[in-house]
Amino acid sequence: MLRKIRSLGVQGIAGYEVTAECDLAGGLPNFDIVGLGDTAVKEARERVRSAIKNSGFSFPVGRITVNLAPANLRKSGTVYDLPILVGILSAGEQIPWSDPDCAFVGELSLSGTLRPVVGMLPMALAAREAGIQRLYVPADSAPEATLAEGLTVYPVETVRQLADHLTGADPIQPAQPWSGSPADLPVPDFSEVRGQEQVKRVLEIAAAGGHNAAMIGPPGSGKSMLARRIPSILPPMSRREALEATQVHSVLGLITKEQPLLLSRPFRSPHHSISAVGMAGGGSPFPKPGEISLAHHGVLFLDELPEFHKDVLEVLRQPMEEGTITLVRAAASETYPSDFMLVCAMNPCKCGWYGHPSGRCRCNPADVRKYLGKLSGPLLDRIDLYAEVPALEFENLSDRSPGESSAAIRARVVQARAIQSRRYGPDGPACNAAMGQEELSKYCALDAAGKAIMKGAYDHMGLTARSYDRILRVARTIADLDGEESIAPHHLAEAIQYRESEYFQR
């Protein structure tokens, strides 16, 4: 007897429908799973066999063939355990089941309990698009599945509980849609930072427009401390942004049942020993998202920038421009989102003290040039704002009065983002940093005084076409923070001031 059970799978960060076709026939006992499954899929035979026996059912004697359709797509993971089990029990008439509007997803333990699966949100979204109305998932994965909305999600704890529900003996109550708040974790506040008002201004502009920023200064000046407080001034994510960011984390198993939806913007800070694959993504046979995709709609913070391997830094260039990255491997090609805000911190030389008033630096100019020369021109050209972080004076450190709070800074950032949202509309760029040429021409037009300033900067600083556009985007953000309709000369002058650090001019 043949039974077709609907299920779901994940390819990249997108879900797709899979049908588990289970056929029971006479003959010598055999259990085959076909349909391009990986090792985890093949091992489902033993998990399903033990789960059936330990749940009080009898495992069919005969030839069992399971086909995971479409058979031309590679399947991976343990999500097909439950649909295979339901198909076998249904084909053997041990449970009555033939509802075409239901789908099953879940990993089985040998005892018949269900374990959570990765990628639940993409699969639930795919189920909704496929017209599936009822979705049976492990209980720990149910909160994540409810985020898709428009589905009735049943949290299943054991095979026996599922069987009692399908027979009508003991119905399972549908899971309630998850509605939570960000995890109650302490968030560092800018009020704790002493001095560095100019750097705070740069980071406020970066947050208001989604611009890339770099901080350069000696050790102990507060670069990392400032960077880790950036999430406290970023605007909240929209529902669409939260779902997109959560999908990336979901396929890597970084989502918990207590917090299935990312409500705070991601902040990723990989160590400088990370590989290019770890940064961009990859792996075999199915490439996985890397750090730049985990930072989607958030911040990618690179501390000690020159210490990163050159190939790691160079993979950032295309994603910084396009907001996506395509990983091409022999078995598959996947495109992942990578719309992140890059924040870097670095010392001015290898010892870190170049230009410090104490004079403790022993690096000669050639050493400094060699150290800074680790960073390529094309990468530096993609950074919008440079902030020099000087060593703190004693007066700043001894002053215990709190500085301006993150809440006050965030209020200005949110107001500036609201201006941008009204300007571009729902289908336009998300922020000023994402403006294309059409928006630049329309919203960044300069008057005669502005053109004169830009011409002087272009000739004196040797700007590229890319850096010219980035200055205009930053100036547009500064004008938005001031609530101005057009870019004034002082907005442009401030944007040019942040364009390049004097350390790269020495």
Side-chain angles (χ1 to χ4, degrees), residues 329-470:
R329 300 294 184 268
S333 174
E334 301 295 344
T335 298
Y336 296 120
S338 58
D339 184 8
F340 59 89
M341 175 180 156
L342 178 66
V343 178
C344 310
M346 58 182 292
N347 297 326
C349 66
K350 190 170 183 62
C351 77
W353 301 104
Y354 186 72
H356 194 270
S358 65
R360 71 179 74 179
C361 178
R362 295 295 181 263
C363 301
N364 58 49
D367 294 332
V368 176
R369 287 194 298 269
K370 181 180 179 181
Y371 182 74
L372 298 180
K374 295 180 180 179
L375 307 176
S376 68
L379 176 64
L380 296 175
D381 204 30
R382 287 168 167 81
I383 297 177
D384 305 309
L385 299 156
Y386 288 88
E388 295 183 14
V389 188
L392 287 172
E393 302 290 340
F394 175 78
E395 290 75 12
N396 296 125
L397 290 173
S398 60
D399 182 9
R400 291 302 172 184
S401 58
E404 187 177 27
S405 67
S406 293
I409 301 173
R410 191 187 196 193
R412 295 193 295 269
V413 169
V414 170
Q415 186 177 12
R417 287 286 186 111
I419 293 173
Q420 297 165 40
S421 180
R422 290 193 298 269
R423 178 190 299 136
Y424 305 128
D427 299 325
C431 56
N432 286 336
M435 276 194 291
Q437 290 302 315
E438 181 179 352
E439 290 83 15
L440 281 170
S441 301
K442 186 175 182 180
Y443 301 113
C444 297
L446 302 178
D447 56 16
K451 290 180 180 178
I453 292 174
M454 278 301 294
K455 184 179 186 307
Y458 193 89
D459 295 338
H460 177 72
M461 299 173 64
L463 300 177
T464 64
R466 179 187 290 112
S467 55
Y468 175 88
D469 290 345
R470 289 183 176 272

Side-chain angles (χ1 to χ4, degrees), residues 191-395:
S191 62
E192 303 164 346
V193 180
R194 309 285 180 238
Q196 308 296 12
E197 298 304 321
Q198 183 69 19
V199 186
K200 293 179 185 177
R201 169 65 175 174
V202 169
L203 297 181
E204 178 181 338
I205 296 170
H211 303 289
N212 304 320
M215 295 178 287
I216 309 171
S221 56
K223 302 184 296 295
S224 299
M225 183 179 184
L226 286 159
R228 296 188 184 282
R229 281 154 178 76
I230 293 177
S232 67
I233 65 173
L234 289 174
M237 287 195 291
S238 65
R239 175 76 177 183
R240 177 189 60 81
E241 290 176 330
L243 288 175
E244 288 180 2
T246 302
Q247 287 184 74
V248 180
H249 287 70
S250 177
V251 299
L252 292 177
L254 302 178
I255 297 298
T256 64
K257 63 178 180 180
E258 294 80 14
Q259 194 74 32
L261 180 67
L262 294 180
L263 296 179
S264 301
R265 293 187 180 272
F267 182 87
R268 305 294 300 183
S269 179
H271 190 261
H272 59 75
S273 60
I274 188 174
S275 66
V277 172
M279 182 68 77
S284 178
F286 305 102
K288 298 293 185 181
E291 286 292 331
I292 61 176
S293 295
L294 288 170
H296 183 54
H297 291 317
V299 176
L300 178 64
F301 175 49
L302 303 184
D303 202 2
E304 306 296 345
L305 184 65
E307 301 300 328
F308 284 80
H309 294 289
K310 186 173 182 179
D311 59 338
V312 174
L313 296 179
E314 294 308 302
V315 302
L316 297 173
R317 288 162 50 177
Q318 184 180 356
M320 288 171 66
E321 289 288 327
E322 299 181 359
T324 60
I325 182 169
T326 300
L327 305 174
V328 180
R329 300 294 184 268
S333 174
E334 301 295 344
T335 298
Y336 296 120
S338 58
D339 184 8
F340 59 89
M341 175 180 156
L342 178 66
V343 178
C344 310
M346 58 182 292
N347 297 326
C349 66
K350 190 170 183 62
C351 77
W353 301 104
Y354 186 72
H356 194 270
S358 65
R360 71 179 74 179
C361 178
R362 295 295 181 263
C363 301
N364 58 49
D367 294 332
V368 176
R369 287 194 298 269
K370 181 180 179 181
Y371 182 74
L372 298 180
K374 295 180 180 179
L375 307 176
S376 68
L379 176 64
L380 296 175
D381 204 30
R382 287 168 167 81
I383 297 177
D384 305 309
L385 299 156
Y386 288 88
E388 295 183 14
V389 188
L392 287 172
E393 302 290 340
F394 175 78
E395 290 75 12

Side-chain angles (χ1 to χ4, degrees), residues 1-5 19-25 65-67 86-88 90-93 97-98:
M1 185 176 292
L2 176 66
R3 284 289 187 269
K4 296 183 179 180
I5 305 299
T19 301
E21 301 174 337
C22 303
D23 180 61
L24 269 61
T65 305
V66 176
N67 177 44
V86 172
I88 291 175
S90 177
E93 298 184 340
W97 195 247
S98 60

